Amino acid sequence: MSEARRRVLHRLTEWNIGALVRDDAQLVISELFTNAVKHTDSDRVDCELRVTGVRLRLEVADRGGGPGRPRVRRTERRGGPDREGESGRGLTIVEALAEEWGVRPGGDGKGHLVWAELGFGCSAP
């Protein structure tokens, strides 16, 4: 995960993306990458970054099977994120930081591609 964060920081610095967005992007990539490694049997995880208009799009794709479609873990009683569990907050963090995020099947029919879009806001170059 540290290599993915380092590469994201390097690329976003090259692109003159502001510090706040860089920090958020590193956290989002870390969470998405961790989920791909932890919850699938994929032997490869790919990351992609691109700027689309005034948003930064982050994508993490795995090629393996897992327990199902990635989703935010919610408690049954409150309908909100599960804040009492020992793990499972990754997508809650992504949901909080991203303007939008989602999941689609992997390109070859295996695995998932999870994406998140961060706005530039006041930290744009």
Side-chain angles (χ1 to χ4, degrees), residues 30-86:
S30 178
E31 295 299 339
L32 296 181
F33 198 93
T34 298
N35 282 353
V37 169
K38 186 175 180 180
H39 299 294
T40 73
D41 59 4
S42 184
D43 60 352
R44 180 176 173 164
V45 176
D46 295 316
C47 300
E48 185 175 324
L49 310 171
R50 68 178 171 267
V51 174
T52 57
V54 295
R55 290 185 176 183
L56 171 65
R57 185 173 176 102
L58 311 162
E59 296 181 354
V60 173
D62 66 75
R63 300 184 193 301
R69 184 179 171 102
R71 62 181 173 79
V72 175
R73 187 179 302 170
R74 307 228 180 248
T75 61
E76 290 183 25
R77 285 189 321 230
R78 297 177 297 233
D82 181 2
R83 290 184 172 82
E84 297 173 14
E86 290 183 21

Side-chain angles (χ1 to χ4, degrees), residues 69 100-104 113-116:
R69 184 179 171 102
E100 290 185 71
W101 76 276
V103 182
R104 65 179 173 85
L113 184 140
V114 184
W115 58 270

